[in-house]
Amino acid sequence: MATPNFTVHHLQIGQGERIPWLLEELEIPYKLVNYQRSPLLSPPELKSKHPLGASPILEDHTDPSNPITLAESGAIVEYIIGKYANGKLALGPSHKNFADYLYWFHFSNSTLQPAIFRRAMLRGAIPNSSTDARYLGADGRVKNALHHMNNRLLSHKWLAGDEFTAADVMTGWCLTTMRKFEPIDLTEYEGIQAWVKRFGERQAYKTAMGKSDPNIDLEETSGVKGPAPIELFTKAMAGKM
Ligand SMILES: N[C@@H](CCC(=O)N[C@@H](CS)C(=O)NCC(=O)O)C(=O)O
């Protein structure tokens, strides 16, 4: 097979970090283009790469007669694993944990991340949100999702079971870098704490983060209390910018 010719476009402090992490795990070479937030969203150079202008974006020029531009981190992860990694880091239909793999692969983008983001928006939008039923409902959903994940990780080393998979790659950022947008204290989630520590020790994760976001303090983003929130984002959620 031809060596992959990948360019990964990554908006710093964001979920685009999943793709360099996956590629480091798979030992697939890639060119990485990092973009800074401007001031919170994508700068024009990144917007011009795809109609939605959101990160990550993968350009695959391996086959010059069929250049591919792909967005959606989940789609990119599946594309790379399916087309270039022989299914490595995925569990196939014959694996006993196939259903677990699919479930936890989709959990981050379909349940956890939207719940966390909804809570951030409601807290910003509703004055005195801590007593507001809409905020409390959103907060309950986040806590429910975290407890669910925590229970899974108290009895399994990785989300899909015994093996580290792309489900862990998809979900890692929600409990690390994403906490710069919405604080999550992990004190009562010991299973999640241990899992964050486990993947944080993987060389591929450290290498990818060093390339994609060298200014992020990994001790802070993977710590129990989490990093300080980005003030500009908190202001934006409150409609103050
Ligand atoms: N569902 C998409 C979401 C992509 C997304 O919203 N990315 C954020 C980074 S965390 C972004 O690029 N935001 C800036 C913008 O939309 O201008 C995925 O999984 O890739």
Side-chain angles (χ1 to χ4, degrees), residues 11 13 16 37 55 58-59 62 75 97 100-101 108 110 129 134 136 150 157 170 174 176 190-191 207 215 220 235:
L11 181 64
I13 320 182
R37 291 175 176 268
S55 150
L58 175 75
E59 285 178 325
T62 310
N97 289 45
D100 293 310
Y101 171 70
S108 55
S110 306
S129 59
R134 291 164 294 177
L136 292 172
N150 189 57
K157 187 171 177 192
M170 285 298 292
C174 297
T176 51
E190 286 183 11
T207 303
N215 295 326
E220 205 183 62
K235 274 192 189 161

PDB file of all heavy atoms in Angstrom, residues 11 13 16 37 55 58-59 62 75 97 100-101 108 110 129 134 136 150 157 170 174 176 190-191 207 215 220 235:
ATOM      1  N   LEU A  11      -7.763  22.960  14.773  1.00  0.00           N
ATOM      2  CA  LEU A  11      -7.973  24.215  15.499  1.00  0.00           C
ATOM      3  C   LEU A  11      -7.555  23.971  16.942  1.00  0.00           C
ATOM      4  O   LEU A  11      -8.120  23.093  17.614  1.00  0.00           O
ATOM      5  CB  LEU A  11      -9.454  24.617  15.434  1.00  0.00           C
ATOM      6  CG  LEU A  11      -9.834  25.926  16.129  1.00  0.00           C
ATOM      7  CD1 LEU A  11      -9.155  27.126  15.464  1.00  0.00           C
ATOM      8  CD2 LEU A  11     -11.351  26.112  16.119  1.00  0.00           C
ATOM      9  N   ILE A  13      -6.711  23.810  20.912  1.00  0.00           N
ATOM     10  CA  ILE A  13      -7.612  23.664  22.063  1.00  0.00           C
ATOM     11  C   ILE A  13      -8.971  23.184  21.547  1.00  0.00           C
ATOM     12  O   ILE A  13      -9.991  23.866  21.667  1.00  0.00           O
ATOM     13  CB  ILE A  13      -7.756  24.966  22.898  1.00  0.00           C
ATOM     14  CG1 ILE A  13      -6.410  25.660  23.033  1.00  0.00           C
ATOM     15  CG2 ILE A  13      -8.359  24.662  24.263  1.00  0.00           C
ATOM     16  CD1 ILE A  13      -6.441  26.920  23.874  1.00  0.00           C
ATOM     17  N   GLY A  16     -10.055  18.453  17.463  1.00  0.00           N
ATOM     18  CA  GLY A  16      -9.171  18.021  16.381  1.00  0.00           C
ATOM     19  C   GLY A  16      -7.990  17.208  16.900  1.00  0.00           C
ATOM     20  O   GLY A  16      -7.384  16.432  16.159  1.00  0.00           O
ATOM     21  N   ARG A  37      -7.428  29.867  17.543  1.00  0.00           N
ATOM     22  CA  ARG A  37      -8.800  30.366  17.555  1.00  0.00           C
ATOM     23  C   ARG A  37      -8.793  31.878  17.333  1.00  0.00           C
ATOM     24  O   ARG A  37      -7.894  32.575  17.796  1.00  0.00           O
ATOM     25  CB  ARG A  37      -9.486  30.003  18.886  1.00  0.00           C
ATOM     26  CG  ARG A  37      -9.729  28.509  18.981  1.00  0.00           C
ATOM     27  CD  ARG A  37     -10.294  28.075  20.309  1.00  0.00           C
ATOM     28  NE  ARG A  37     -10.564  26.639  20.245  1.00  0.00           N
ATOM     29  CZ  ARG A  37     -11.735  26.113  19.880  1.00  0.00           C
ATOM     30  NH1 ARG A  37     -12.769  26.892  19.597  1.00  0.00           N
ATOM     31  NH2 ARG A  37     -11.890  24.817  19.816  1.00  0.00           N
ATOM     32  N   SER A  55     -12.961  22.137  12.804  1.00  0.00           N
ATOM     33  CA  SER A  55     -11.835  21.203  12.918  1.00  0.00           C
ATOM     34  C   SER A  55     -12.264  19.954  13.682  1.00  0.00           C
ATOM     35  O   SER A  55     -13.086  20.063  14.590  1.00  0.00           O
ATOM     36  CB  SER A  55     -10.713  21.932  13.659  1.00  0.00           C
ATOM     37  OG  SER A  55      -9.909  21.057  14.410  1.00  0.00           O
ATOM     38  N   LEU A  58      -9.413  16.353   7.508  1.00  0.00           N
ATOM     39  CA  LEU A  58      -8.334  15.524   6.961  1.00  0.00           C
ATOM     40  C   LEU A  58      -8.307  15.700   5.449  1.00  0.00           C
ATOM     41  O   LEU A  58      -9.345  15.584   4.795  1.00  0.00           O
ATOM     42  CB  LEU A  58      -8.585  14.039   7.279  1.00  0.00           C
ATOM     43  CG  LEU A  58      -7.580  13.065   6.655  1.00  0.00           C
ATOM     44  CD1 LEU A  58      -6.245  13.092   7.393  1.00  0.00           C
ATOM     45  CD2 LEU A  58      -8.134  11.632   6.633  1.00  0.00           C
ATOM     46  N   GLU A  59      -7.122  15.981   4.916  1.00  0.00           N
ATOM     47  CA  GLU A  59      -6.928  15.927   3.463  1.00  0.00           C
ATOM     48  C   GLU A  59      -6.098  14.693   3.168  1.00  0.00           C
ATOM     49  O   GLU A  59      -5.007  14.533   3.726  1.00  0.00           O
ATOM     50  CB  GLU A  59      -6.200  17.183   2.967  1.00  0.00           C
ATOM     51  CG  GLU A  59      -7.120  18.401   2.941  1.00  0.00           C
ATOM     52  CD  GLU A  59      -6.393  19.662   2.490  1.00  0.00           C
ATOM     53  OE1 GLU A  59      -5.192  19.820   2.810  1.00  0.00           O
ATOM     54  OE2 GLU A  59      -7.022  20.483   1.824  1.00  0.00           O
ATOM     55  N   THR A  62      -3.252  10.683  -0.901  1.00  0.00           N
ATOM     56  CA  THR A  62      -2.478   9.469  -1.195  1.00  0.00           C
ATOM     57  C   THR A  62      -2.649   9.057  -2.659  1.00  0.00           C
ATOM     58  O   THR A  62      -1.694   8.699  -3.342  1.00  0.00           O
ATOM     59  CB  THR A  62      -2.933   8.325  -0.267  1.00  0.00           C
ATOM     60  OG1 THR A  62      -2.932   8.802   1.078  1.00  0.00           O
ATOM     61  CG2 THR A  62      -2.007   7.119  -0.377  1.00  0.00           C
ATOM     62  N   ALA A  75     -15.987  10.378  11.590  1.00  0.00           N
ATOM     63  CA  ALA A  75     -15.856   9.881  10.215  1.00  0.00           C
ATOM     64  C   ALA A  75     -14.379   9.750   9.841  1.00  0.00           C
ATOM     65  O   ALA A  75     -13.966   8.770   9.209  1.00  0.00           O
ATOM     66  CB  ALA A  75     -16.569  10.822   9.248  1.00  0.00           C
ATOM     67  N   ASN A  97     -16.888  -7.793  22.151  1.00  0.00           N
ATOM     68  CA  ASN A  97     -17.169  -6.418  22.602  1.00  0.00           C
ATOM     69  C   ASN A  97     -17.500  -5.463  21.452  1.00  0.00           C
ATOM     70  O   ASN A  97     -17.380  -4.250  21.602  1.00  0.00           O
ATOM     71  CB  ASN A  97     -15.960  -5.866  23.369  1.00  0.00           C
ATOM     72  CG  ASN A  97     -15.783  -6.527  24.707  1.00  0.00           C
ATOM     73  OD1 ASN A  97     -15.873  -7.737  24.801  1.00  0.00           O
ATOM     74  ND2 ASN A  97     -15.548  -5.752  25.739  1.00  0.00           N
ATOM     75  N   ASP A 100     -20.075  -2.951  22.472  1.00  0.00           N
ATOM     76  CA  ASP A 100     -19.491  -1.976  23.408  1.00  0.00           C
ATOM     77  C   ASP A 100     -18.645  -0.963  22.650  1.00  0.00           C
ATOM     78  O   ASP A 100     -18.676   0.230  22.936  1.00  0.00           O
ATOM     79  CB  ASP A 100     -18.587  -2.686  24.425  1.00  0.00           C
ATOM     80  CG  ASP A 100     -19.373  -3.592  25.353  1.00  0.00           C
ATOM     81  OD1 ASP A 100     -20.366  -3.125  25.920  1.00  0.00           O
ATOM     82  OD2 ASP A 100     -18.984  -4.767  25.486  1.00  0.00           O
ATOM     83  N   TYR A 101     -17.876  -1.476  21.708  1.00  0.00           N
ATOM     84  CA  TYR A 101     -17.010  -0.590  20.930  1.00  0.00           C
ATOM     85  C   TYR A 101     -17.838   0.475  20.208  1.00  0.00           C
ATOM     86  O   TYR A 101     -17.557   1.677  20.292  1.00  0.00           O
ATOM     87  CB  TYR A 101     -16.170  -1.391  19.930  1.00  0.00           C
ATOM     88  CG  TYR A 101     -15.426  -0.508  18.958  1.00  0.00           C
ATOM     89  CD1 TYR A 101     -14.361   0.272  19.379  1.00  0.00           C
ATOM     90  CD2 TYR A 101     -15.823  -0.424  17.624  1.00  0.00           C
ATOM     91  CE1 TYR A 101     -13.692   1.118  18.501  1.00  0.00           C
ATOM     92  CE2 TYR A 101     -15.166   0.413  16.736  1.00  0.00           C
ATOM     93  CZ  TYR A 101     -14.099   1.177  17.188  1.00  0.00           C
ATOM     94  OH  TYR A 101     -13.456   2.029  16.315  1.00  0.00           O
ATOM     95  N   SER A 108     -19.266   9.812  22.896  1.00  0.00           N
ATOM     96  CA  SER A 108     -18.721  11.160  23.136  1.00  0.00           C
ATOM     97  C   SER A 108     -19.414  12.212  22.283  1.00  0.00           C
ATOM     98  O   SER A 108     -19.921  13.207  22.800  1.00  0.00           O
ATOM     99  CB  SER A 108     -17.209  11.195  22.901  1.00  0.00           C
ATOM    100  OG  SER A 108     -16.904  10.729  21.612  1.00  0.00           O
ATOM    101  N   SER A 110     -22.193  11.944  20.541  1.00  0.00           N
ATOM    102  CA  SER A 110     -23.657  11.901  20.475  1.00  0.00           C
ATOM    103  C   SER A 110     -24.328  12.197  21.809  1.00  0.00           C
ATOM    104  O   SER A 110     -25.464  12.660  21.823  1.00  0.00           O
ATOM    105  CB  SER A 110     -24.128  10.526  19.995  1.00  0.00           C
ATOM    106  OG  SER A 110     -23.498  10.213  18.778  1.00  0.00           O
ATOM    107  N   SER A 129     -28.496  30.685  37.225  1.00  0.00           N
ATOM    108  CA  SER A 129     -28.849  29.386  36.644  1.00  0.00           C
ATOM    109  C   SER A 129     -28.898  28.259  37.666  1.00  0.00           C
ATOM    110  O   SER A 129     -29.608  27.280  37.475  1.00  0.00           O
ATOM    111  CB  SER A 129     -27.861  29.032  35.541  1.00  0.00           C
ATOM    112  OG  SER A 129     -26.559  28.999  36.088  1.00  0.00           O
ATOM    113  N   ARG A 134     -34.124  24.510  33.937  1.00  0.00           N
ATOM    114  CA  ARG A 134     -33.503  24.142  32.658  1.00  0.00           C
ATOM    115  C   ARG A 134     -32.029  23.824  32.865  1.00  0.00           C
ATOM    116  O   ARG A 134     -31.502  22.836  32.351  1.00  0.00           O
ATOM    117  CB  ARG A 134     -33.657  25.288  31.648  1.00  0.00           C
ATOM    118  CG  ARG A 134     -35.099  25.494  31.200  1.00  0.00           C
ATOM    119  CD  ARG A 134     -35.279  26.834  30.526  1.00  0.00           C
ATOM    120  NE  ARG A 134     -35.082  27.939  31.484  1.00  0.00           N
ATOM    121  CZ  ARG A 134     -35.121  29.226  31.179  1.00  0.00           C
ATOM    122  NH1 ARG A 134     -35.339  29.607  29.929  1.00  0.00           N
ATOM    123  NH2 ARG A 134     -34.955  30.148  32.104  1.00  0.00           N
ATOM    124  N   LEU A 136     -30.641  22.970  35.742  1.00  0.00           N
ATOM    125  CA  LEU A 136     -30.521  21.780  36.603  1.00  0.00           C
ATOM    126  C   LEU A 136     -30.759  20.501  35.805  1.00  0.00           C
ATOM    127  O   LEU A 136     -30.112  19.479  36.034  1.00  0.00           O
ATOM    128  CB  LEU A 136     -31.491  21.886  37.784  1.00  0.00           C
ATOM    129  CG  LEU A 136     -31.116  22.992  38.786  1.00  0.00           C
ATOM    130  CD1 LEU A 136     -32.210  23.181  39.840  1.00  0.00           C
ATOM    131  CD2 LEU A 136     -29.779  22.692  39.462  1.00  0.00           C
ATOM    132  N   ASN A 150     -18.220   6.461  34.321  1.00  0.00           N
ATOM    133  CA  ASN A 150     -17.387   6.096  35.464  1.00  0.00           C
ATOM    134  C   ASN A 150     -17.618   4.631  35.855  1.00  0.00           C
ATOM    135  O   ASN A 150     -16.663   3.890  36.083  1.00  0.00           O
ATOM    136  CB  ASN A 150     -17.726   7.016  36.637  1.00  0.00           C
ATOM    137  CG  ASN A 150     -16.764   6.853  37.775  1.00  0.00           C
ATOM    138  OD1 ASN A 150     -15.554   7.011  37.610  1.00  0.00           O
ATOM    139  ND2 ASN A 150     -17.271   6.494  38.945  1.00  0.00           N
ATOM    140  N   LYS A 157     -10.825  -1.700  31.840  1.00  0.00           N
ATOM    141  CA  LYS A 157      -9.626  -0.863  31.704  1.00  0.00           C
ATOM    142  C   LYS A 157      -9.857   0.244  30.674  1.00  0.00           C
ATOM    143  O   LYS A 157      -9.451   1.381  30.853  1.00  0.00           O
ATOM    144  CB  LYS A 157      -8.457  -1.762  31.286  1.00  0.00           C
ATOM    145  CG  LYS A 157      -7.131  -1.067  31.271  1.00  0.00           C
ATOM    146  CD  LYS A 157      -5.995  -2.056  31.077  1.00  0.00           C
ATOM    147  CE  LYS A 157      -4.675  -1.316  30.985  1.00  0.00           C
ATOM    148  NZ  LYS A 157      -3.592  -2.174  30.528  1.00  0.00           N
ATOM    149  N   MET A 170     -11.738   8.861  20.796  1.00  0.00           N
ATOM    150  CA  MET A 170     -12.864   9.782  20.572  1.00  0.00           C
ATOM    151  C   MET A 170     -13.255  10.513  21.861  1.00  0.00           C
ATOM    152  O   MET A 170     -13.664  11.669  21.838  1.00  0.00           O
ATOM    153  CB  MET A 170     -14.082   9.010  20.048  1.00  0.00           C
ATOM    154  CG  MET A 170     -14.000   8.595  18.598  1.00  0.00           C
ATOM    155  SD  MET A 170     -13.878   9.978  17.456  1.00  0.00           S
ATOM    156  CE  MET A 170     -15.499  10.737  17.617  1.00  0.00           C
ATOM    157  N   CYS A 174     -12.946  15.001  25.858  1.00  0.00           N
ATOM    158  CA  CYS A 174     -14.083  15.513  26.651  1.00  0.00           C
ATOM    159  C   CYS A 174     -13.730  15.635  28.138  1.00  0.00           C
ATOM    160  O   CYS A 174     -14.316  16.436  28.853  1.00  0.00           O
ATOM    161  CB  CYS A 174     -15.287  14.579  26.550  1.00  0.00           C
ATOM    162  SG  CYS A 174     -15.953  14.423  24.911  1.00  0.00           S
ATOM    163  N   THR A 176     -10.519  16.065  29.224  1.00  0.00           N
ATOM    164  CA  THR A 176      -9.218  16.734  29.382  1.00  0.00           C
ATOM    165  C   THR A 176      -9.330  18.160  28.840  1.00  0.00           C
ATOM    166  O   THR A 176      -9.778  19.059  29.535  1.00  0.00           O
ATOM    167  CB  THR A 176      -8.100  15.942  28.646  1.00  0.00           C
ATOM    168  OG1 THR A 176      -8.541  15.681  27.289  1.00  0.00           O
ATOM    169  CG2 THR A 176      -7.787  14.640  29.353  1.00  0.00           C
ATOM    170  N   GLU A 190     -13.838   8.191  40.142  1.00  0.00           N
ATOM    171  CA  GLU A 190     -12.510   7.572  40.241  1.00  0.00           C
ATOM    172  C   GLU A 190     -12.155   6.708  39.027  1.00  0.00           C
ATOM    173  O   GLU A 190     -10.998   6.594  38.645  1.00  0.00           O
ATOM    174  CB  GLU A 190     -12.413   6.743  41.521  1.00  0.00           C
ATOM    175  CG  GLU A 190     -12.297   7.635  42.731  1.00  0.00           C
ATOM    176  CD  GLU A 190     -12.137   6.874  44.022  1.00  0.00           C
ATOM    177  OE1 GLU A 190     -11.915   5.649  43.999  1.00  0.00           O
ATOM    178  OE2 GLU A 190     -12.253   7.536  45.077  1.00  0.00           O
ATOM    179  N   GLY A 191     -13.176   6.113  38.435  1.00  0.00           N
ATOM    180  CA  GLY A 191     -12.937   5.298  37.244  1.00  0.00           C
ATOM    181  C   GLY A 191     -12.433   6.169  36.093  1.00  0.00           C
ATOM    182  O   GLY A 191     -11.487   5.815  35.375  1.00  0.00           O
ATOM    183  N   THR A 207       2.962  12.537  22.450  1.00  0.00           N
ATOM    184  CA  THR A 207       3.586  13.043  21.219  1.00  0.00           C
ATOM    185  C   THR A 207       2.591  13.892  20.437  1.00  0.00           C
ATOM    186  O   THR A 207       2.903  14.988  19.967  1.00  0.00           O
ATOM    187  CB  THR A 207       4.065  11.858  20.345  1.00  0.00           C
ATOM    188  OG1 THR A 207       4.946  11.079  21.110  1.00  0.00           O
ATOM    189  CG2 THR A 207       4.772  12.343  19.093  1.00  0.00           C
ATOM    190  N   ASN A 215       1.218  24.225  23.948  1.00  0.00           N
ATOM    191  CA  ASN A 215       1.055  25.129  25.099  1.00  0.00           C
ATOM    192  C   ASN A 215       0.060  24.628  26.139  1.00  0.00           C
ATOM    193  O   ASN A 215      -0.125  25.254  27.177  1.00  0.00           O
ATOM    194  CB  ASN A 215       0.630  26.530  24.625  1.00  0.00           C
ATOM    195  CG  ASN A 215       1.733  27.154  23.804  1.00  0.00           C
ATOM    196  OD1 ASN A 215       2.916  26.919  24.074  1.00  0.00           O
ATOM    197  ND2 ASN A 215       1.364  27.904  22.773  1.00  0.00           N
ATOM    198  N   GLU A 220      -2.478  19.779  34.000  1.00  0.00           N
ATOM    199  CA  GLU A 220      -3.666  20.540  34.381  1.00  0.00           C
ATOM    200  C   GLU A 220      -4.920  19.940  33.733  1.00  0.00           C
ATOM    201  O   GLU A 220      -5.921  19.684  34.407  1.00  0.00           O
ATOM    202  CB  GLU A 220      -3.458  21.979  33.894  1.00  0.00           C
ATOM    203  CG  GLU A 220      -4.216  23.020  34.652  1.00  0.00           C
ATOM    204  CD  GLU A 220      -3.978  24.380  34.013  1.00  0.00           C
ATOM    205  OE1 GLU A 220      -4.340  24.581  32.830  1.00  0.00           O
ATOM    206  OE2 GLU A 220      -3.443  25.237  34.707  1.00  0.00           O
ATOM    207  N   LYS A 235     -17.374  34.279  28.798  1.00  0.00           N
ATOM    208  CA  LYS A 235     -18.001  35.568  28.451  1.00  0.00           C
ATOM    209  C   LYS A 235     -18.940  35.395  27.255  1.00  0.00           C
ATOM    210  O   LYS A 235     -20.052  35.928  27.228  1.00  0.00           O
ATOM    211  CB  LYS A 235     -16.935  36.602  28.080  1.00  0.00           C
ATOM    212  CG  LYS A 235     -16.374  37.329  29.245  1.00  0.00           C
ATOM    213  CD  LYS A 235     -15.573  38.512  28.704  1.00  0.00           C
ATOM    214  CE  LYS A 235     -14.790  39.188  29.793  1.00  0.00           C
ATOM    215  NZ  LYS A 235     -13.715  40.011  29.282  1.00  0.00           N
TER     216      LYS A 235
END
